[in-house]
Amino acid sequence: MCVERVVLCVPARASVRLGCARRDVRMWEGCCAPIMPESDFQEELVIRPLHSGDIYASFQFRTLWETDFMKGNKVSHYRLFPKSLGQVISKFSVRELHISFTQGYWRTMQWGQPFLPAPPGAELWVWFQDTVTDVDGTWKELTNVLSGIFCASLNFIDSTNTVQPSASFKPLGIGNVTDHRFLRYATLPREIVCTENLTPWKKLLPCGSKAGLAVLMKSEKLFHSSFHSEAVHIRPVCGDVECKSVSWELRQTLDVVFDLHTSGQGKREWSLFKMFARTLTDACPLASSSKIYIDITDNPEGEHFELSPATPLLSQAVVLGDRRTFSVYDLTDPSTFGTMRTFNVQIKWKNTEGDMLRPLLHAERYVAGYGLQTGEIHTLMYNQHPYRSFPVLLLDSVPWYLRLYVHTLTVTSKGKDNKPSYIHYQPSKDRIRPHLLEMLVQLPPNSVTEVTVQFERALLKWTEYTPDPNHGFYVGSSVVSSLVPSIVAMDTNNTRDRPLFSSFFPTKEESSYFIRVYTEPLLVNLPTPDFSMPYNVICLTCTVVAVGYGSLYNLLTRNFQIEEPNPGLAKRIANVIRRMRGVPLL
Amino acid sequence: MLANLVLSFNCTYLAVLLSFIRFNKHVGNFFSSQHTNNWAVLVCTSRFWFNYRHVANTLSVYRSVKRLGIPDSHIVLMLADDMACNHRNPKPATVFSHKNMELNVYGDDVEVDYRGYEVTVENFLRVLTGRLPPSTPRSKRLLSDDRSNILIYLTGHGGNGFLKFQDSEEISNVELADAFEQMWQKRRYNELLFIIDTCQGASMYERFYSPNLMALASSQVGEDSLSHQPDLAIGVHLMDRYTFYLLEFLEDIHPASKTNMNDLFKVCPKSQCVSTPGHRTDLFLRDPGSVLITDFFGSVRKVELTTDAINLTEPITPVEDQEKEPYSYVDQLPVSEIIHQKPKQKDWHPPDGFILGLWTLIILVFFRTYGVKHLKHIF
């Protein structure tokens, strides 16, 4: 079994606490004192209709727990926070853990920016606490334990695909220490995502997949999509408004993009039932808030699409640098479900007009060159802001069997050389560690910046090839982290209560927001030997030896004897009679 | 005298009868299984889309075994390739066993322990013998003891004496027999049922020599196991014949059924299977007619009922922390800080011994040739 079930331990005094049914922390001081740290669970679903007719649904489940795993605290009672992850955090002294499993590639030009970006395959990055002495050993054990929890082959993460970024992937939680010695980052671009990864992910939720928004997660629909990404993010956050205490946050997110033609049968009409083959019946009873947000910013007067059932609740939030308007359905309110006790949202398009998306930052990557000897990696970064330039941090991790020639590294924008203000390069060691290249580049407005580097392919040992070597070898996605100028002022008060989808990346300044863009992974063919060659050589040699040498040996050593032919029956009888008569035989 | 004889005869007859009755009670105990837990190791060894049927075989046995009671924590499922979410699958997240997509054996609650490139001969033998690296998680281990009944199911492409793993390596029947002997010597099983569905499958159990092993194969040496039926929408054969009829047989079994192994041996006769299934019971101590199917496919659960109250320990109170200054979030892209970032302090290494020795040699030779008076020019 991949995940242990959460054991609900009910201490003796819990009945007193349950008498006060409110979950708001501030009410406790008058009502009854909590005897164990309070945990809070929120769930939300954001549905954003995309211009191309596809639809983007993003589930976010957040468990907030007022405890502190740091400073060696021992925790024994788990209620909403899953015990398997809590034990992983305590045992391996983890400060932050981010793991994601993705199938498909996010198409920024057609779909805009996702709320939580993820590269194809599996990605894991962890910040350890500064009490850890052997970070590499702890990292190896952590990947093995996570491979058991999530039923994924994360045990293939080792020193050949782990890097230690020097400037990217700063911690997303609170804290002051940012020594990059405690950071490890690895991707497995070949990792497959299927129901066996979704099953343990669903079991980490407090209500499982039995109540609340998680009933919509049926694998036959979720995997029949253009993009599917599930992730778990654990980090310490501010526990109160003044940020004097620490709470630990577990965020489980699932992003899925349903295609108009494969899931929608070509009709521009979406509903919860059409997307997930289920409707909602109730909210998770353990959740303090359970909401559905539908993005209606492009439809202020209802001229492009129609939403039913109608709702009076509207909410505005600043997310990804833009002020978006949402229709809100509150599932904790029983009137949402109506008399039929089910809830199904329907979005019907009236016409197909709409503005084209122009994402401000977009990145692409491809391999150029011909032959199986050399090649070139090209990374293109597009800045589509008309007059502002912004800095971009590019992280490239290339496996050791592609030998990069760093002296051929060029960075050009608008045809001219663009010198990066910071470069960190760590060369690879064969079979020990990969290349790491980090650069801080300033992208000029309305331009394309191209980063090229040439490489040479290495010949692997014959045992190092996978069972299907002609498929090719994957090179992980590049990560482009950037502070992009925002259209409206961002909210810098990170402790205020905000919808989950707008509170993931902390904002420090009002005029820009932080995003991360992943490029495509590359598929590179390495020179592959013919694995049937030894067998063929043995057969051929043995045949030649047997036919050639064997014939010669026979000719030289065979001796011939004369043998009488076998006489017929009549002659044999005649011989017998002749012997009896004593006459010479025939 | 005759009366004495008759009396003695009666006494002995009575004594024999009494001892027979007592013996029957012992006989009853002797014929029931002594296992306390059940494990299953289900392996599919084939890669590539056209070997869809091997994954479907393994998943249908997984489904039956789960349905009859063995929990996921006691099943080690190894699938060498992903068929459900393969890009060539017209119905993602499904693996069908019957044509016209009647039965989805992949289900919604599947947990695969070894997948993709992890399914190798080495990992399989390590799982059986228990010799795994210390950081292996529990879900990937076979934690059986000497009271465990284990079901081992292998499927894939095989030949006379070997089974192919992932198109790149093979396991031979000698290795398998030795692995089972290691398991016996380390007391890792009570009884073991080995089922194999490959071509010439009977050759894989020819070399077994450890006690308490029962083996079934889908075909004899020199025969090929055939596949059952293709589905035109999916485009490949969905199941192998032997496992298809095995699945149909197991669908009629429920956790309390009393069907025994002799019925399992009759599954898929030559008229349905085209190949001749074989079995081997000479190493098994009990009579196969007294072995229940649920001894291997189902699970024994030990439940202890108690009326005592259990005291839970008090929660550990967290350490009270003193007033400190408020925490803050870290700047995600501190541009000025990055630009002025000092390069990582490299540890100072003393110069290599070789370089040092070389320089000493050069200096010594210089002074011997030209005299010590040049020393003041150096220092």
Side-chain angles (χ1 to χ4, degrees):
Chain A
M1 185 175 76
C2 296
V3 161
E4 291 177 19
R5 296 209 178 272
V6 173
V7 174
L8 216 65
C9 300
V10 181
R13 282 177 275 172
S15 52
V16 176
R17 190 160 65 91
L18 285 173
C20 325
R22 295 290 302 274
R23 288 196 184 84
D24 190 7
V25 176
R26 277 180 216 98
M27 287 294 289
W28 286 123
E29 279 137 37
C31 193
C32 40
I35 40 138
M36 63 186 191
E38 184 60 31
S39 47
D40 172 60
F41 175 66
Q42 292 176 353
E43 55 179 18
E44 74 178 30
L45 165 62
V46 182
I47 298 182
R48 192 208 290 173
L50 300 169
H51 171 74
S52 52
D54 307 329
I55 195 152
Y56 170 37
S58 170
F59 291 85
Q60 289 213 24
F61 301 92
R62 180 175 86 156
T63 308
L64 206 59
W65 198 18
E66 274 175 23
T67 184
D68 199 356
F69 284 106
M70 302 208 262
K71 302 190 283 263
N73 272 343
K74 281 200 175 299
V75 184
S76 59
H77 281 302
Y78 291 87
R79 188 167 161 259
L80 296 177
F81 201 93
K83 183 173 166 204
S84 49
L85 289 181
Q87 288 182 328
V88 162
I89 299 172
S90 331
K91 180 163 182 219
F92 297 110
S93 306
V94 166
R95 186 175 144 197
E96 264 189 43
L97 185 124
H98 301 270
I99 184 167
S100 70
F101 298 99
T102 311
Q103 178 204 62
Y105 174 64
W106 183 269
R107 300 181 193 285
T108 316
M109 291 303 282
Q110 288 157 318
W111 301 337
Q113 293 286 357
F115 294 120
L116 278 142
E123 186 203 37
L124 171 67
W125 57 282
V126 174
W127 274 92
F128 290 97
Q129 293 172 21
D130 44 9
T131 52
V132 174
T133 45
D134 178 19
V135 182
D136 288 317
T138 319
W139 169 253
K140 188 86 189 102
E141 284 177 45
L142 177 66
T143 50
N144 276 315
V145 165
L146 289 174
S147 86
I149 293 177
F150 290 105
C151 284
S153 16
L154 296 174
N155 44 323
F156 284 133
I157 292 178
D158 54 8
S159 63
T160 58
N161 46 24
T162 308
V163 290
Q164 188 183 318
S166 65
S168 310
F169 292 103
K170 295 259 182 255
L172 287 169
I174 55 176
N176 299 324
V177 178
T178 53
D179 185 354
H180 280 259
R181 271 191 302 137
F182 297 104
L183 169 64
R184 292 288 182 273
Y185 172 82
T187 54
L188 290 174
R190 187 81 203 264
E191 192 64 20
I192 302 156
V193 187
C194 208
T195 313
E196 65 252 22
N197 303 111
L198 188 63
T199 309
W201 188 94
K202 283 197 284 191
K203 287 183 181 160
L204 294 174
L205 295 171
C207 283
S209 53
K210 309 264 188 308
L213 289 171
V215 299
L216 295 176
M217 293 181 186
K218 290 296 160 198
S219 51
E220 283 111 19
K221 286 298 208 171
L222 283 180
F223 290 101
H224 198 47
S225 55
S226 310
F227 179 81
H228 170 100
S229 170
E230 47 193 69
V232 172
H233 300 276
I234 303 175
R235 57 176 179 162
V237 293
C238 290
D240 52 13
V241 178
E242 297 96 38
C243 212
K244 292 253 175 73
S245 69
V246 177
S247 286
W248 278 72
E249 177 194 79
L250 164 69
R251 232 182 240 251
Q252 287 178 255
T253 65
L254 194 138
D255 284 6
V256 61
V257 174
F258 291 105
D259 187 62
L260 174 66
H261 298 284
T262 50
S263 309
Q265 287 113 36
K267 285 205 293 257
R268 285 182 78 134
E269 187 190 303
W270 291 102
S271 68
L272 282 183
F273 188 74
K274 196 173 181 193
M275 290 195 276
F276 303 107
R278 291 286 184 287
T279 54
L280 290 166
T281 47
D282 57 357
C284 175
L286 296 169
S288 61
S289 119
S290 178
K291 293 200 170 83
I292 298 186
Y293 294 85
I294 319 274
D295 190 339
I296 54 168
T297 321
D298 300 322
N299 189 37
E301 313 299 325
E303 68 270 13
H304 293 299
F305 59 82
E306 186 191 300
L307 199 59
S308 65
T311 173
L313 293 169
L314 280 178
S315 151
Q316 285 205 339
V318 179
V319 60
L320 296 171
D322 195 9
R323 184 173 298 280
R324 313 286 295 180
T325 318
F326 297 89
S327 287
V328 184
Y329 296 90
D330 190 354
L331 297 177
T332 48
D333 181 6
S335 66
T336 321
F337 294 98
T339 48
M340 301 290 284
R341 309 254 323 181
T342 66
F343 175 70
N344 186 13
V345 179
Q346 257 190 328
I347 304 170
K348 259 202 258 246
W349 258 263
K350 293 189 201 151
N351 52 33
T352 57
E353 283 144 33
D355 297 321
M356 269 305 290
L357 287 168
R358 290 202 30 103
L360 291 174
L361 177 64
H362 171 52
E364 277 175 8
R365 196 179 184 209
Y366 58 89
V367 173
Y370 58 91
L372 282 177
Q373 180 77 12
T374 54
E376 257 182 49
I377 298 181
H378 291 248
T379 311
L380 290 111
M381 295 180 282
Y382 296 83
N383 175 359
Q384 289 177 333
H385 200 282
Y387 51 85
R388 291 275 297 270
S389 71
F390 48 84
V392 144
L393 189 58
L394 173 70
L395 172 79
D396 249 320
S397 163
V398 179
W400 63 268
Y401 41 80
L402 296 187
R403 303 212 165 101
L404 294 182
Y405 292 132
V406 185
H407 69 281
T408 58
L409 177 71
T410 58
V411 182
T412 46
S413 304
K414 289 184 177 169
K416 283 189 303 217
D417 211 17
N418 184 353
K419 192 163 159 9
S421 27
Y422 170 79
I423 299 185
H424 172 76
Y425 173 65
Q426 193 186 47
S428 69
K429 265 193 189 167
D430 271 8
R431 300 177 180 88
I432 296 179
R433 60 164 197 245
H435 298 273
L436 172 68
L437 179 62
E438 266 184 286
M439 292 194 296
L440 184 68
V441 184
Q442 190 82 4
L443 299 185
N446 213 9
S447 66
V448 180
T449 306
E450 186 167 345
V451 177
T452 58
V453 62
Q454 291 180 6
F455 65 86
E456 183 192 58
R457 292 166 226 238
L459 189 65
L460 299 178
K461 295 183 183 166
W462 74 281
T463 47
E464 288 171 348
Y465 287 95
T466 55
D468 52 350
N470 291 302
H471 182 89
F473 288 77
Y474 282 89
V475 178
S477 313
S478 301
V479 187
V480 176
S481 321
S482 162
L483 277 175
V484 176
S486 66
I487 302 170
V488 299
M490 301 290 294
D491 187 0
T492 51
N493 185 357
N494 290 310
T495 52
R496 216 174 51 160
D497 211 14
R498 289 197 294 204
L500 293 177
F501 58 87
S502 63
S503 61
F504 187 64
F505 288 114
T507 39
K508 285 265 183 182
E509 37 175 329
E510 289 189 344
S511 56
S512 58
Y513 64 97
F514 177 77
I515 54 166
R516 213 171 257 148
V517 176
Y518 290 91
T519 63
E520 301 96 330
L522 302 174
L523 186 59
V524 176
N525 259 329
L526 290 184
T528 308
D530 179 8
F531 292 101
S532 64
M533 185 275 287
Y535 171 75
N536 292 339
V537 164
I538 292 170
C539 281
L540 192 67
T541 317
C542 291
T543 312
V544 165
V545 166
V547 170
Y549 173 72
S551 323
L552 199 63
Y553 180 79
N554 273 337
L555 278 173
L556 292 174
T557 58
R558 202 184 294 164
N559 53 357
F560 295 92
Q561 289 173 336
I562 300 173
E563 193 183 286
E564 296 288 311
N566 210 5
L569 186 61
K571 281 212 179 139
R572 266 195 270 145
I573 295 173
N575 273 339
V576 166
I577 297 168
R578 280 185 162 210
R579 217 181 287 133
M580 285 195 307
R581 283 173 56 196
V583 164
L585 302 171
L586 279 172
Chain B
M1 167 102 149
L2 202 62
N4 271 350
L5 260 171
V6 165
L7 202 62
S8 60
F9 178 73
N10 272 348
C11 281
T12 45
Y13 175 75
L14 210 60
V16 164
L17 191 66
L18 280 171
S19 62
F20 185 71
I21 290 167
R22 246 183 297 134
F23 181 58
N24 243 345
K25 268 212 285 248
H26 292 303
V27 154
N29 278 345
F30 179 75
F31 277 150
S32 73
S33 175
Q34 305 286 335
H35 70 282
T36 57
N37 55 75
N38 282 84
W39 287 81
V41 179
L42 311 172
V43 185
C44 161
T45 60
S46 303
R47 178 162 276 277
F48 304 123
W49 174 244
F50 52 83
N51 290 321
Y52 182 101
R53 58 190 189 277
H54 296 139
V55 172
N57 288 350
T58 318
L59 285 172
S60 44
V61 178
Y62 172 77
R63 178 201 140 79
S64 311
V65 147
K66 245 178 108 158
R67 196 176 52 82
L68 291 171
I70 303 187
D72 270 315
S73 53
H74 284 228
I75 303 178
V76 177
L77 179 61
M78 302 171 81
L79 297 179
D81 201 2
D82 171 57
M83 298 303 163
C85 289
N86 196 315
H87 296 294
R88 292 171 76 163
N89 192 347
K91 290 224 157 232
T94 57
V95 173
F96 292 107
S97 60
H98 288 64
K99 75 171 178 200
N100 300 325
M101 305 188 198
E102 281 165 23
L103 180 61
N104 175 17
V105 287
Y106 195 57
D108 216 14
D109 194 26
V110 61
E111 288 180 8
V112 183
D113 301 302
Y114 285 85
R115 58 183 202 160
Y117 299 132
E118 289 179 293
V119 178
T120 57
V121 174
E122 185 190 340
N123 280 349
F124 175 58
L125 292 176
R126 279 184 188 278
V127 164
L128 288 184
T129 53
R131 292 215 180 98
L132 288 159
S135 53
T136 316
R138 283 179 72 98
S139 58
K140 288 185 165 175
R141 289 179 187 260
L142 178 66
L143 297 164
S144 57
D145 53 25
D146 64 323
R147 287 273 146 255
S148 307
N149 273 14
I150 307 183
L151 165 72
I152 297 187
Y153 178 82
L154 291 173
T155 183
H157 288 288
N160 191 356
F162 67 91
L163 171 63
K164 185 172 74 158
F165 265 70
Q166 296 224 36
D167 212 25
S168 66
E169 47 182 8
E170 296 148 5
I171 185 172
S172 65
N173 49 7
V174 177
E175 281 175 357
L176 199 56
D178 286 340
F180 288 154
E181 175 65 13
Q182 278 193 50
M183 287 173 80
W184 174 251
Q185 289 190 2
K186 285 164 76 165
R187 298 283 174 266
R188 278 171 70 79
Y189 70 90
N190 173 37
E191 285 167 349
L192 199 141
L193 176 64
F194 174 77
I195 305 182
I196 183 161
D197 187 352
T198 63
C199 302
Q200 308 193 48
S203 61
M204 289 304 283
Y205 61 65
E206 273 173 359
R207 299 293 192 113
F208 288 174
Y209 56 95
S210 318
N212 269 345
L213 292 178
M214 192 187 306
L216 277 113
S218 60
S219 56
Q220 301 291 336
V221 175
E223 286 180 348
D224 286 339
S225 278
L226 301 178
S227 57
H228 185 67
Q229 52 184 339
D231 180 297
L232 295 175
I234 299 178
V236 283
H237 285 263
L238 294 181
M239 286 271 271
D240 277 331
R241 282 176 189 254
Y242 181 73
T243 314
F244 181 81
Y245 290 106
L246 182 70
L247 175 67
E248 280 196 356
F249 172 77
L250 288 173
E251 289 285 303
D252 292 330
I253 310 280
H254 55 90
S257 74
K258 296 281 172 207
T259 0
N260 57 37
M261 281 293 162
N262 282 333
D263 301 318
L264 191 62
F265 296 152
K266 294 196 204 101
V267 161
C268 206
K270 196 170 163 73
S271 55
Q272 282 174 328
C273 250
V274 183
S275 58
T276 322
H279 56 266
R280 180 176 177 180
T281 52
D282 57 316
L283 294 166
F284 205 75
L285 293 175
R286 292 193 287 150
D287 172 40
S290 64
V291 179
L292 300 175
I293 303 273
T294 49
D295 279 350
F296 289 103
F297 286 88
S299 176
V300 170
R301 304 289 189 99
K302 285 213 79 118
V303 177
E304 246 181 59
L305 295 171
T306 171
T307 49
D308 306 324
I310 298 178
N311 287 327
L312 294 171
T313 54
E314 282 298 318
I316 300 169
T317 47
V319 172
E320 286 295 324
D321 46 13
Q322 305 82 15
E323 278 294 314
K324 9 167 94 110
E325 59 284 1
Y327 296 98
S328 61
Y329 287 96
V330 178
D331 201 356
Q332 288 299 305
L333 195 70
V335 177
S336 52
E337 212 182 283
I338 292 174
I339 293 174
H340 300 291
Q341 195 164 322
K342 285 204 188 55
K344 224 172 23 169
Q345 291 293 340
K346 284 236 165 22
D347 299 319
W348 180 79
H349 292 289
D352 252 7
F354 173 72
I355 305 283
L356 201 64
L358 189 67
W359 275 109
T360 318
L361 187 69
I362 290 169
I363 290 172
L364 269 173
V365 165
F366 176 80
F367 285 129
R368 281 186 72 86
T369 328
Y370 296 107
V372 187
K373 63 179 188 292
H374 290 275
L375 197 65
K376 63 175 189 296
H377 296 291
I378 309 292
F379 293 107

